[in-house]
Amino acid sequence: MEKIVNLAKRRGFAFQSSEIYGGLASCWDYGPIGVELKRNVKEAWWRDMVMRRADIVGIDCSILMHPRVWEASGHVAGFTDPLVDCKLCKERFRADKLMDAQCPRKPSKHPGECEGELTEARQFNLMFKTFMGPVEDTASVVFLRPETAQGIFVNFLNVLHTSRQKIPFGIAQIGKSFRNEITPGNFLFRTREFEQMEMEFFVRPGEDERWYDYWREERLNWYTRYGIRRENLRLREHAPDELAHYAKACVDVEYHFPFGWSELEGIANRTDFDLRRHAEYSGKDLSYYDEETKERFYPYVIEPAAGADRATLAFLVDAYDEDVADGEPRVVLRFHPRIAPVKVAVFPLLRKHGQPERALELVAILRQHFTVQYDQAGSIGRRYRRQDEIGTPFGVTVDHQTLQDDTVTLRDRDTMQQERIPIERLVDELKRRIEV
Ligand code: ATP
């Protein structure tokens, strides 16, 4: 993990937030390479969950919502974690995650196993509060949303009436969520501000179990489709005593992070809880009328809820590799071409004979289609290494032959094979290899 965090900082994937002021705990800023990586993760999700499907539409809701939303959803009363304080070192821990935490004074021990005595657990609400309007009184308290799902539920009728969807159908959203986590950590894994990729799939009661099974498989396969190794993924079904009160079933897609198996995404059968609660609290009828069967009912909801930052971290961890190239050790990120932050790097072999000029002309063409980097500094071997380290799948070299016959060499990051191809075929060839 340390290697990955160092690489991330050195190559511009992620930096500590407000670093020049000493940093803000658990908040991270994505750098020029990281922002491309995360965008690709979100775009892959949107493409597969919305663009390629006739039965799912997208939405983008505001972060601030009516306070009653969070009463109806159960977050005001129940979105809590149990908190304990150590009377000796004054640190705070999640009472249900003590085995994952270290005593700050004796890191070989868990909190409570050292000399420090822990207080009784008390419930701590994870929602961030803020004030709307200029007067800080209780009437104007609003919350930063702790999940994107509720924006989807409260818009159920709006989407139903404007999109002409019929059950079964889904509404998807990508956006920021905020949780005042007691123990954030592990780099991008658990932060207080993060991005979610959630989809609520509305189905007829009775068909919920079939759709739950469908989404379990679909979501697991999504990660392997973009290159995560199957042996680093598993599904973990929740035990009945772990389930949220509204859930009929829930399964986590877990990834084998360097710090252990941990949740990437949760897939839950939320029953008809959410729509019924919002109907009750808002006084609006949120039931669904089936034109064919002439029945009115509250749909059940299957929810695959993923974290964009956690997925980004998993793609980064899974891509990390060290091997030997041309007799030298290299660090290489073996990203799937769709996920890779930079798709193609262009190098003039020499900094003379018109090669840089020709290479820059090529860069201008490629930039219309892909994220491109141009590099003319240092030996060609070192330039390849720099690109391998950020996972660029393709390298294009302009050499003396290019100026004679308009061909370039195309190098593959993983096989390190080079082949010569005409410039006029380059864009199509790269597209063919990237859009798999
Ligand atoms: P955890 O048990 O790790 O706290 P959760 O079960 O509370 O997560 P959900 O409410 O199911 O998480 O949220 C769906 C997804 O949102 C998670 O699978 C995760 O990918 C992401 N997520 C949740 N909390 C955080 C966080 N603090 N930082 C980063 N991502 C998060």
Side-chain angles (χ1 to χ4, degrees):
M1 200 58 194
E2 218 178 292
K3 281 184 177 175
I4 287 172
V5 176
N6 288 340
L7 175 72
K9 181 165 180 197
R10 188 158 47 80
R11 296 309 312 271
F13 282 91
F15 313 115
Q16 172 99 66
S17 159
S18 326
E19 199 180 73
I20 59 168
Y21 288 98
L24 183 64
S26 96
C27 294
W28 299 92
D29 298 338
Y30 289 88
I33 303 296
V35 70
E36 298 292 341
L37 175 63
K38 188 173 165 190
R39 273 172 58 101
N40 291 341
V41 170
K42 290 189 288 181
E43 272 168 23
W45 188 90
W46 194 264
R47 190 167 52 241
D48 291 334
M49 297 294 278
V50 183
M51 194 186 106
R52 287 181 172 164
R53 299 190 63 117
D55 59 354
I56 302 181
V57 291
I59 195 169
D60 183 9
C61 305
S62 67
I63 287 171
L64 301 175
M65 300 178 73
H66 196 289
R68 288 277 284 167
V69 169
W70 307 110
E71 288 171 30
S73 67
H75 282 82
V76 170
F79 193 56
T80 54
D81 276 340
L83 171 80
V84 288
D85 293 276
C86 172
K87 291 182 182 167
L88 189 65
C89 70
K90 313 288 179 215
E91 280 291 324
R92 295 188 154 164
F93 306 97
R94 248 173 87 169
D96 57 336
K97 298 260 181 188
L98 290 176
M99 289 299 124
D100 297 343
Q102 286 178 330
C103 164
R105 293 159 69 100
K106 288 209 174 138
S108 62
K109 302 206 170 198
H110 300 299
E113 290 176 349
C114 48
E115 292 101 71
E117 194 192 331
L118 300 179
T119 58
E120 284 288 303
R122 59 183 194 282
Q123 292 300 325
F124 171 77
N125 196 301
L126 300 181
M127 281 200 294
F128 277 97
K129 270 186 200 165
T130 188
F131 300 92
M132 196 146 178
V135 187
E136 287 196 10
D137 60 11
T138 47
S140 57
V141 165
V142 289
F143 299 100
L144 301 188
R145 67 180 176 198
E147 61 176 34
T148 59
Q150 298 304 324
I152 297 178
F153 296 128
V154 302
N155 275 293
F156 175 67
L157 287 186
N158 285 336
V159 175
L160 188 65
H161 294 153
T162 54
S163 68
R164 311 188 50 168
Q165 289 286 343
K166 290 196 174 67
I167 270 171
F169 80 97
I171 307 175
Q173 169 161 227
I174 298 179
K176 286 252 168 147
S177 292
F178 302 81
R179 295 181 189 179
N180 203 357
E181 298 276 3
I182 297 166
T183 43
N186 284 327
F187 193 30
L188 306 171
F189 181 81
R190 187 180 301 286
T191 53
R192 294 193 171 106
E193 172 181 345
F194 54 97
E195 223 166 340
Q196 291 187 305
M197 310 186 287
E198 295 195 296
M199 195 275 292
E200 310 300 322
F201 201 73
F202 301 92
V203 305
R204 173 180 280 278
E207 291 182 1
D208 50 309
E209 290 181 16
R210 186 166 68 78
W211 281 107
Y212 174 71
D213 291 343
Y214 169 86
W215 282 111
R216 280 168 58 113
E217 290 313 306
E218 191 62 23
R219 292 304 307 151
L220 181 68
N221 293 340
W222 184 81
Y223 292 96
T224 55
R225 192 176 309 152
Y226 293 102
I228 296 212
R229 281 164 286 182
R230 180 62 184 83
E231 66 266 28
N232 288 334
L233 290 166
R234 71 177 186 196
L235 287 173
R236 191 184 67 81
E237 196 77 43
H238 285 208
D241 62 349
E242 247 185 298
L243 289 176
H245 58 282
Y246 52 76
K248 186 168 153 185
C250 186
V251 64
D252 287 343
V253 179
E254 293 190 333
Y255 179 74
H256 198 192
F257 285 100
F259 46 85
W261 286 98
S262 304
E263 174 181 337
L264 264 187
E265 164 160 2
I267 298 137
N269 181 342
R270 297 181 70 118
T271 68
D272 56 3
F273 175 83
D274 304 276
L275 288 180
R276 278 195 190 277
R277 286 280 284 205
H278 285 301
E280 186 189 325
Y281 278 68
S282 68
K284 301 282 186 305
D285 180 1
L286 302 183
S287 63
Y288 177 83
Y289 182 69
D290 190 321
E291 302 278 355
E292 277 166 35
T293 62
K294 312 284 178 223
E295 283 170 290
R296 186 168 276 288
F297 58 87
Y298 274 86
Y300 267 41
V301 172
I302 311 300
E303 173 194 74
D309 310 87
R310 277 191 196 175
T312 300
L313 181 60
F315 281 110
L316 185 59
V317 167
D318 214 74
Y320 187 90
D321 197 10
E322 293 171 359
D323 69 0
V324 175
D326 308 326
E328 275 185 42
R330 71 165 179 169
V331 169
V332 52
L333 296 181
R334 300 193 191 280
F335 289 124
H336 184 286
R338 280 274 201 190
I339 298 296
V342 177
K343 305 294 188 225
V344 50
V346 178
F347 318 107
L349 187 61
L350 301 173
R351 287 168 72 170
K352 52 187 178 188
H353 306 319
Q355 291 179 19
E357 292 75 10
R358 190 72 185 94
L360 283 166
E361 278 170 30
L362 196 52
V363 167
I365 297 170
L366 295 177
R367 281 226 166 100
Q368 304 302 312
H369 307 273
F370 316 105
T371 44
V372 183
Q373 278 199 356
Y374 172 75
D375 189 358
Q376 60 172 32
S379 73
I380 192 77
R382 283 194 44 199
R383 285 182 268 169
Y384 285 152
R385 280 313 92 79
R386 279 201 282 271
Q387 293 300 325
D388 291 341
E389 217 182 28
I390 58 166
T392 307
F394 306 109
V396 169
T397 304
V398 168
D399 55 17
H400 65 281
Q401 197 179 326
T402 310
L403 289 114
Q404 290 162 7
D405 66 2
D406 276 335
T407 62
V408 287
T409 60
L410 178 59
R411 172 189 184 261
D412 181 287
R413 174 197 66 205
D414 296 328
T415 63
M416 291 186 277
Q417 297 292 317
Q418 301 198 29
E419 59 189 283
R420 194 160 267 287
I421 72 164
I423 288 177
E424 62 177 20
R425 269 189 39 221
L426 191 58
V427 168
D428 285 346
E429 181 57 25
L430 287 168
K431 280 193 178 160
R432 191 182 66 76
R433 295 187 191 198
I434 291 166
E435 288 171 10
V436 283

